[in-house]
Amino acid sequence: MSSLQSNADSTNSEPLQRSNPKKRRKIGHTNSPTLVPWRSDTQQRIYSSKLAHALRHVLRRNHPPPPAKSNTGREVRETADRVLAATAKGRTRWSRAILASPLNRWKLRRMHKKVRKAATGLAKRSPETRRRLPVVQKKARVLGRLVPGCRKLSFPNLLEEATDYISALEMQVRAMTALTELLTGGTSHASA
Amino acid sequence: MLHCVNMTVLERQQARSRKCHQQDQDQDQDYQRSSLFDVFSSSITMDGYDDSSLHMPIMPPPAPAPAPSSSSALSRTTTSITPRVATSLASPTLGKKRKPLTQKVVAGGGGAEQQSENKKDKKVKVSGEEDSSKITEQTNKEEVASAENSKGSSEAQNHKPDYIHVRARRGQATDSHSLAERVRREKISERMKYLQDLVPGCNKITGKAGMLDEIINYVQSLQRQVEFLSMKLAAVNPRLDLNIDDLFAKEVFPACAPNFQSIGMASSSDMSNNPAAAAAAYLDFNSVQQLVSCSNGLINNIGMSMNPSPDMGLRKTIATPHSVSLPETFLDSSSCFTQALPPSIWEGEFQIQNLYNVAFDQPRASSFPPSHPFTGLVEASNLKMEMEM
C-alpha cells in the first residue's frame, strides 16, 4: 500500500511540484502542534469573547426574526467559523480560506456538489480507472473537501492542516457548548 | 557497457587518488587490490567496446589497455570508492538528475546498506537494459565483482560515513527519489501520529486508510456538532438579550464598569427575563473565574432590576465563590418577571451604591429608577443566595 501510495503520490505530486514549493514556503514554517494552542483555556476564552461579540450583531439583525427565512442557524454557524478562523490569526490555510470567502460557503458548496455530480455522471469512468485510484488517495481527497481550502493540497500538508483544524473544531465545540449552556441554562431551569 | 563503466570507475579512481586521499591509499590498498583486481580481470576479459572511447575524454587517464600496469597503478593509487569519485562518476556520464542525486546522496548520509542497495538496483537496471548473452555474462561477473566492490566499498565506507554509493546510475535518479520518498514518508507518518493522538479511538487502528477513515468521521462529527450548536444558539438567543455576550466578553476581561454599563443598557432596553438570565449566565461564568467585585456588582444590578412584589420575601445574598446558586435564584426572579412591574424602591439603589462603590454613571443611575423595579435586597457585605423554587 505504501508503494502504491508512493507511486500515486509521485505521479500526483508532479503537477503539484510547481505549486508545492510555494505552498511549502508559505506553510513550511508551520509545525502543527505548536501553531495555536487550541487546547488552552485562554484560547477558548478569547474565542468565546469574540464569538459573543460577533453573535450579538448577528442576533440583533435577526432578533425581530423574519419567520420566512430561517437562516439564523446558518448565519450563526458562519459567524462561529469566521470567528474561529480569526482566532487562528490566519496562520493556517483553512483559516485563511474561511476568512477569504465570506460568500455563503455552504451554498456554494451545495452548488458545486450538484454541478460535480452532474459532470461526473457524464464523464467516462471505467472500473479500471476507479481501481487505479488508491484507497488512501480517495480518502485524502475526501478529507481535503472537509477541511476548508485544502482540496488540492499535498498529503503531508493536508494532514497538518487537518490536525490544526481538528483541534480548532474541538475548541469551537467546547466554547459553543459552554455558551449555549449558559444562555439556555436559565430557560431550562425556569421551565423545570 | 558494464566494463566500460568499470573502466571509467577505475579511471576516475585514478584521477581521484591523484588529487588527494594519499592517506587512505595505504589503508584501502589491500581492499582495493582484491576487489579491483577482480573487476579489472572481468573487464579485461571483455572485448574492447567503443564506448570506452566515449569515456576517455571525460577523464584523461592513462589508458587502461595495459591491464596489468593499470591494475597495478590502480592498486597503487586508487582508494576505496569515495563518494567524490562516485559523484564525479555520476555527473558526467550518467543520466539526467545527477546533481540532485549527488546532493541528496551526500545529504542523506552514508550507509553501506544504501550503497549495496543502490548497487543492486543499478545492476538490475543495467541488466534490464542489456540483452545480449555476453552482457548477461558481464552482468553476472559484474555482480560478483560489484558485490565484492560493495564489500570493499562498504568497508571503505566506514572510513567515510558521509558517502553513500559507489556506482553511478544510468539515467534514473532513483536515489534522489527514494531518498525524497523516505523523507516524505517520514513526514507523513509523523503527522499521522499527531492525528492519532488527536482523534479519539485511533490507537488501535494501524494503517493510513483506517486512520483516514477515523479522521474523516471525526471531522464530520465535529462539524455536525458545530452545526447543531449553532442552531441551538440561534434558537435560544433571540429570547435573551444580546448583551449577554457583552457579559461574557467582560467576563474574560474583568472590567467592572463596562459590565454595569451593559447591564444598565440591558435593563433599560428589555424588561424581561433577560437581565436576570444575563446576570445568571454571567455569574455562572464567573464561577470559573472569581471576579468577586463584578459578581457583586452584577447581583446588585440584578437585585435592582427584580420585581419587588413577589420577591419581597427573597433574601438574596451573594456567595462570591459559588455562583452556581445564583442562576437558580435569578431564574426565580426571571419567572417573576413576567408579572407586573412593581414600583421601584429608591432606597435600595442608593444603598447598593454606597455599599459597593460601584462606578455608576449618573445617567445610568438615573435610568434605573424609571425602568427598574427594585427589590430591597441589599445587604451589607456578605450576601447569600437563597433558593426559592
Side-chain angles (χ1 to χ4, degrees):
Chain A
M1 183 175 88
S2 61
S3 61
L4 266 179
Q5 187 209 0
S6 57
N7 289 338
D9 285 342
S10 58
T11 52
N12 288 333
S13 62
E14 282 166 7
L16 293 174
Q17 265 174 6
R18 261 174 283 147
S19 52
N20 260 347
K22 289 179 198 169
K23 285 176 188 172
R24 273 176 200 160
R25 275 173 221 156
K26 283 181 193 170
I27 310 177
H29 65 285
T30 61
N31 194 5
S32 42
T34 60
L35 251 187
V36 181
W38 290 109
R39 293 182 179 173
S40 70
D41 216 11
T42 45
Q43 280 293 326
Q44 188 168 341
R45 283 191 218 129
I46 292 171
Y47 176 71
S48 311
S49 63
K50 287 187 184 173
L51 182 63
H53 275 292
L55 277 178
R56 199 192 332 158
H57 295 291
V58 177
L59 298 167
R60 202 166 269 168
R61 231 182 295 140
N62 288 358
H63 186 36
K69 310 178 188 178
S70 48
N71 309 355
T72 319
R74 189 164 45 81
E75 286 184 25
V76 170
R77 166 88 199 255
E78 284 176 8
T79 37
D81 283 341
R82 243 178 283 149
V83 174
L84 186 69
T87 316
K89 295 177 187 171
R91 271 184 239 144
T92 46
R93 197 174 172 78
W94 61 264
S95 58
R96 288 194 290 267
I98 291 179
L99 291 171
S101 67
L103 314 170
N104 296 329
R105 278 174 55 238
W106 297 100
K107 272 191 180 172
L108 284 176
R109 263 198 170 186
R110 285 171 211 162
M111 284 168 55
H112 279 302
K113 278 183 189 172
K114 286 177 190 172
V115 168
R116 275 179 199 167
K117 278 182 186 172
T120 53
L122 297 172
K124 293 179 189 175
R125 276 272 181 97
S126 63
E128 288 181 2
T129 52
R130 263 182 230 150
R131 279 177 216 154
R132 273 176 207 165
L133 287 176
V135 183
V136 182
Q137 277 283 302
K138 277 189 209 165
K139 295 183 182 170
R141 278 189 199 161
V142 174
L143 189 60
R145 267 184 273 139
L146 278 179
V147 183
C150 293
R151 295 203 185 175
K152 293 189 181 179
L153 207 53
S154 65
F155 193 53
N157 290 337
L158 179 62
L159 289 179
E160 197 170 334
E161 291 288 322
T163 314
D164 197 61
Y165 188 59
I166 284 175
S167 34
L169 275 181
E170 283 178 354
M171 193 222 70
Q172 189 182 24
V173 166
R174 280 199 301 268
M176 286 177 77
T177 316
L179 197 62
T180 50
E181 269 183 27
L182 285 167
L183 294 179
T184 57
T187 54
S188 62
H189 276 286
S191 59
Chain B
M1 301 294 276
L2 287 169
H3 74 285
C4 300
V5 178
N6 291 336
M7 304 293 273
T8 56
V9 168
L10 297 174
E11 291 162 0
R12 285 172 188 164
Q13 283 176 350
Q14 288 177 357
R16 194 81 205 109
S17 58
R18 269 172 231 138
K19 287 180 189 176
C20 51
H21 300 293
Q22 299 295 325
Q23 46 189 347
D24 296 329
Q25 290 170 9
D26 299 334
Q27 293 176 0
D28 303 329
Q29 199 174 352
D30 297 335
Y31 303 123
Q32 288 308 312
R33 229 170 236 175
S34 56
S35 57
L36 287 174
F37 207 57
D38 294 331
V39 173
F40 217 65
S41 58
S42 64
S43 65
I44 290 164
T45 55
M46 291 162 204
D47 300 332
Y49 282 72
D50 297 336
D51 294 340
S52 59
S53 59
L54 283 174
H55 297 292
M56 293 298 287
I58 294 160
M59 304 293 286
S69 60
S70 60
S71 63
S72 60
L74 276 172
S75 58
R76 179 182 64 235
T77 55
T78 56
T79 62
S80 66
I81 302 161
T82 64
R84 273 176 270 181
V85 176
T87 56
S88 60
L89 269 173
S91 41
T93 50
L94 303 179
K96 310 166 189 174
K97 299 180 186 178
R98 277 311 139 202
K99 279 188 181 176
L101 172 68
T102 56
Q103 282 174 5
K104 296 222 168 158
V105 164
V106 174
E113 31 181 314
Q114 276 186 0
Q115 182 182 355
S116 55
E117 265 182 47
N118 301 337
K119 277 190 159 185
K120 285 168 194 169
D121 291 337
K122 188 195 169 193
K123 284 175 228 162
V124 168
K125 278 170 198 157
V126 176
S127 57
E129 288 166 2
E130 297 174 346
D131 300 330
S132 66
S133 59
K134 269 188 182 178
I135 295 168
T136 52
E137 278 181 16
Q138 292 174 13
T139 52
N140 293 336
K141 289 176 186 174
E142 195 57 31
E143 285 175 3
V144 172
S146 49
E148 292 178 347
N149 260 342
S150 65
K151 286 178 194 171
S153 56
S154 61
E155 286 169 327
Q157 287 286 312
N158 298 334
H159 301 289
K160 291 177 185 174
D162 52 339
Y163 285 107
I164 294 183
H165 74 128
V166 182
R167 294 277 177 89
R169 300 251 161 186
R170 279 210 87 208
Q172 286 196 18
T174 44
D175 237 14
S176 67
H177 272 303
S178 57
L179 279 170
E181 275 196 33
R182 191 173 295 121
V183 169
R184 189 179 151 277
R185 255 179 268 140
E186 281 168 6
K187 259 198 235 170
I188 287 177
S189 61
E190 188 189 348
R191 282 163 194 178
M192 293 289 278
K193 276 183 203 165
Y194 281 136
L195 277 167
Q196 215 172 16
D197 296 334
L198 210 51
V199 178
C202 265
N203 302 328
K204 308 158 193 171
I205 298 175
T206 52
K208 284 180 215 157
M211 276 290 302
L212 280 175
D213 272 335
E214 282 298 316
I215 292 164
I216 287 169
N217 286 336
Y218 190 58
V219 169
Q220 279 173 339
S221 75
L222 282 176
Q223 284 179 340
R224 263 183 267 130
Q225 269 183 322
V226 171
E227 185 99 34
F228 174 70
L229 284 170
S230 68
M231 299 294 291
K232 218 173 163 187
L233 266 179
V236 165
N237 260 320
R239 257 197 79 252
L240 303 169
D241 196 87
L242 299 166
N243 290 306
I244 296 164
D245 310 329
D246 256 336
L247 299 177
F248 281 126
K250 301 338 175 209
E251 136 78 16
V252 179
F253 317 107
C256 298
N259 283 331
F260 301 137
Q261 282 185 6
S262 64
I263 292 163
M265 282 162 51
S267 47
S268 58
S269 57
D270 291 320
M271 315 245 291
S272 60
N273 321 348
N274 297 339
Y282 178 87
L283 290 161
D284 199 8
F285 219 70
N286 261 338
S287 61
V288 181
Q289 303 175 354
Q290 300 180 358
L291 300 173
V292 176
S293 59
C294 291
S295 58
N296 287 342
L298 266 178
I299 289 166
N300 291 336
N301 290 326
I302 291 160
M304 285 191 286
S305 60
M306 279 183 202
N307 292 331
S309 57
D311 301 341
M312 291 300 276
L314 282 175
R315 282 258 176 251
K316 294 186 181 166
T317 57
I318 300 167
T320 51
H322 301 288
S323 55
V324 179
S325 58
L326 294 176
E328 296 164 351
T329 53
F330 288 130
L331 295 169
D332 292 338
S333 60
S334 69
S335 63
C336 304
F337 258 49
T338 51
Q339 302 174 11
L341 303 174
S344 59
I345 298 171
W346 303 97
E347 297 172 352
E349 181 183 1
F350 289 126
Q351 282 181 6
I352 288 168
Q353 283 183 357
N354 295 335
L355 282 169
Y356 294 91
N357 295 328
V358 178
F360 286 110
D361 294 340
Q362 282 300 321
R364 271 192 295 108
S366 59
S367 71
F368 283 125
S371 52
H372 303 300
F374 207 70
T375 54
L377 55 81
V378 177
E379 292 298 326
S381 55
N382 297 329
L383 302 177
K384 299 175 189 175
M385 301 300 301
E386 287 181 0
M387 289 282 301
E388 277 195 5
M389 290 298 291

